[in-house]
């Protein structure tokens, strides 16, 4: 090529390769801390490796899930609080894996931004590594993309990809789900990672700044409260599945709330009857409902309302399942039962009322 003096560089176009290298150096020890049987959790190659045999599987079926954190990431950017958004990223995929009865094995992340700040990127990956440790899976790779033509200023977005496995014949939901089975609910930590477009609109309507005290929790700012990370249910659910043999199905309560997610694990001809008075509605949902004037049914199809995971269990062994879940640190509510659903009838029937909502 002809040399015409100093030509344009990638940095002139807004992409800093050196910043990317600095971020890799910062995250290497974080990634290494997620090593588990089957993976050494080293990064730097063109692909991540996992040894199923080394993880103890004999005849496994692989299960894969992918997700992001939605507009919750806007709150992290606007508040400058990046420490926990990575936990959300992991949680959204690994909670979907355990719903299938699968043990999460490894995770990969995708971080896209306008201008890479290695410290911000490392803070996000630190959260991802923490989520992987909670889920007992290895962070074996990822991608950082600096795209100044797509993202502006300090904006970034996240996506995550998780792979798990279960021995053949042990996948959920089971085919023997039947009327009379008990529906248990595991308490959520907060909004988790769904419904934030509505939540942010309600915050804007309230006129409160992110650094204002949260009206429902004076110990935190509003931004901190809304960034409470998604609870990871993997350890507790796997323990209940393996120790009791009574878990027939699980439903991760994400976008669509109770109304849309529970039917996804039910056989044809069955529904559930839920007693809303037994739902431990968290104060943040009460505030959102009242401040935004959000109707009860809209709350139930948008937010988790305080229940992040539902567990369908054999009635005779429900107490045994509850005991294991509580031992593993979960707050458990008995919400209802599986019922026969006539053609055209709602798959999720409600009785009672959520506590102190609009």
């Amino acid at each position: 090529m002809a040399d015409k003096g100093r030509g344009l560089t990638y940095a002139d176009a807004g992409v800093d390769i050196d910043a990317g290298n600095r971020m890799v150096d910062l995250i290497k020890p974080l990634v290494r801390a997620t090593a588990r049987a089957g993976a050494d959790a080293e990064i730097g190659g063109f692909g991540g490796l996992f040894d199923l045999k080394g993880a103890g599987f004999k005849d496994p079926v692989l299960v894969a899930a992918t997700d992001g954190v939605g507009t919750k990431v806007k709150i992290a950017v606007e508040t400058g609080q990046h420490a926990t958004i990575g936990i959300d990223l992991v949680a959204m995929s690994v909670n979907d894996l355990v719903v299938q009865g699968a043990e999460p094995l490894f995770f990969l992340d995708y971080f896209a931004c306008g201008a890479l700040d290695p410290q911000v990127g490392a803070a996000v990956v630190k959260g991802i590594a923490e989520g992987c440790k909670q889920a007992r899976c290895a962070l074996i790779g990822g991608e950082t993309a600096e795209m100044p033509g797509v993202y502006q200023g300090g904006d970034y977005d996240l996506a995550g990809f998780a792979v798990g496995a279960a021995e053949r014949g042990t996948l959920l939901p089971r085919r023997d789900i039947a009327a009379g089975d008990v529906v248990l609910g595991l308490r959520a930590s907060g909004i988790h990672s769904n419904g934030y477009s509505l939540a942010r609109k309600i915050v804007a309507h309230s006129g409160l700044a992110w650094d204002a005290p949260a009206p429902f929790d004076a110990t935190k700012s509003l931004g901190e409260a809304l960034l409470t990370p998604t609870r990871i249910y993997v350890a507790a659910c796997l323990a209940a599945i393996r120790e009791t043999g009574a878990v027939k199905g699980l439903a991760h309560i994400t976008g669509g709330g109770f109304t849309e997610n529970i039917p996804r694990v039910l056989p044809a001809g069955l529904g559930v009857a839920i007693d809303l008075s037994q739902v431990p509605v968290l104060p943040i949902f009460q505030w959102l409902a009242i401040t935004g004037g959000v109707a009860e049914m809209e709350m139930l199809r948008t937010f988790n309302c305080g229940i992040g995971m539902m567990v369908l269990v054999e009635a005779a062994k429900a107490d045994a399942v509850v005991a294991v879940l509580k031992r593993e640190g979960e707050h458990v509510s008995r919400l209802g039962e599986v019922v026969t659903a006539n053609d055209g009838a709602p798959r999720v029937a409600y009785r009672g009322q959520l506590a102190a909502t609009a």
Side-chain angles (χ1 to χ4, degrees):
M1 288 184 182
D3 185 356
K4 297 182 179 180
R6 183 190 179 279
L8 291 174
T9 67
Y10 215 1
D12 293 328
V15 179
D16 189 341
I17 294 174
D18 293 332
N21 291 334
R22 288 195 296 274
M23 179 174 159
V24 171
D25 289 338
L26 289 171
I27 68 175
K28 277 185 176 179
L30 304 173
V31 173
R32 198 171 291 130
T34 70
R36 56 151 289 162
D40 59 15
E42 290 290 339
I43 58 172
F46 286 95
L49 306 178
F50 194 92
D51 181 358
L52 282 167
K53 187 175 180 180
F57 286 91
K58 296 178 175 61
D59 185 20
V61 176
L62 295 179
V63 183
T66 184
D67 210 336
V69 295
T71 58
K72 187 173 187 176
V73 76
K74 287 288 291 181
I75 302 176
V77 171
E78 290 170 5
T79 62
Q81 298 178 41
H82 310 285
T84 60
I85 199 75
I87 299 175
D88 291 293
L89 183 66
V90 176
M92 295 307 291
S93 285
V94 298
N95 283 342
D96 280 352
L97 292 185
V98 80
V99 162
Q100 305 274 168
E103 173 188 340
L105 302 177
F106 59 85
F107 189 84
L108 299 98
D109 67 278
Y110 176 78
F111 178 95
C113 61
L116 180 61
D117 181 330
Q119 296 296 329
V120 170
V124 172
V125 175
K126 184 176 182 180
I128 293 171
E130 171 59 27
C132 286
K133 286 190 282 187
Q134 290 183 26
R136 303 171 187 174
C137 66
L139 178 57
I140 65 170
E143 172 69 7
T144 301
E146 196 172 9
M147 299 188 291
V150 177
Y151 299 95
Q152 304 301 314
D155 285 347
Y156 63 83
D157 198 11
L158 300 170
F161 311 86
V163 173
E167 294 291 354
R168 194 175 306 276
T170 66
L171 289 170
L172 297 180
R174 282 168 31 182
R175 296 180 179 179
D176 62 343
I177 294 174
D181 288 339
V182 172
V183 180
L184 305 174
L186 307 187
R187 187 179 299 177
S189 55
I191 303 179
H192 287 181
S193 296
N194 296 102
Y196 273 86
S197 293
L198 177 56
R200 289 170 53 248
K201 190 173 184 67
I202 293 170
V203 169
H205 175 74
S206 76
L208 293 173
W210 292 125
D211 59 358
F216 46 86
D217 184 352
T219 68
K220 298 177 180 177
S221 70
L222 183 57
E224 289 171 337
L226 265 73
L227 285 172
T228 299
T230 306
R231 186 165 182 82
I232 293 176
Y233 298 100
V234 169
C237 289
L238 286 179
I241 291 167
R242 292 168 176 173
E243 294 180 29
T244 70
V247 175
K248 295 186 175 185
L250 296 164
H252 186 198
I253 307 303
T254 55
F258 292 12
T259 305
E260 302 294 333
N261 285 293
I262 302 173
R264 295 169 67 182
V265 301
L266 294 172
L270 293 177
V272 295
I274 302 295
D275 183 353
L276 295 178
S277 68
Q278 298 303 307
V279 175
V281 181
L282 301 177
I284 189 170
F285 293 113
Q286 297 171 344
W287 181 78
L288 288 170
I290 293 169
T291 305
V294 185
E296 183 175 81
M297 287 305 298
E298 187 67 14
M299 290 293 294
L300 288 165
R301 66 192 296 265
T302 304
F303 299 111
N304 68 59
C305 294
I307 295 293
M309 183 74 74
M310 288 197 181
V311 189
L312 278 58
V313 304
E314 181 182 337
K317 296 183 179 179
D319 289 343
V321 173
V322 170
V324 173
L325 292 170
K326 287 185 174 180
R327 186 199 71 204
E328 295 295 318
E330 299 299 335
H331 295 273
V332 186
S333 300
R334 186 163 176 156
L335 300 179
E337 61 281 328
V338 177
V339 297
T340 301
N342 297 322
D343 289 344
R347 302 291 297 281
V348 182
Y350 299 110
R351 59 178 182 269
Q353 188 174 12
L354 292 174
T357 57

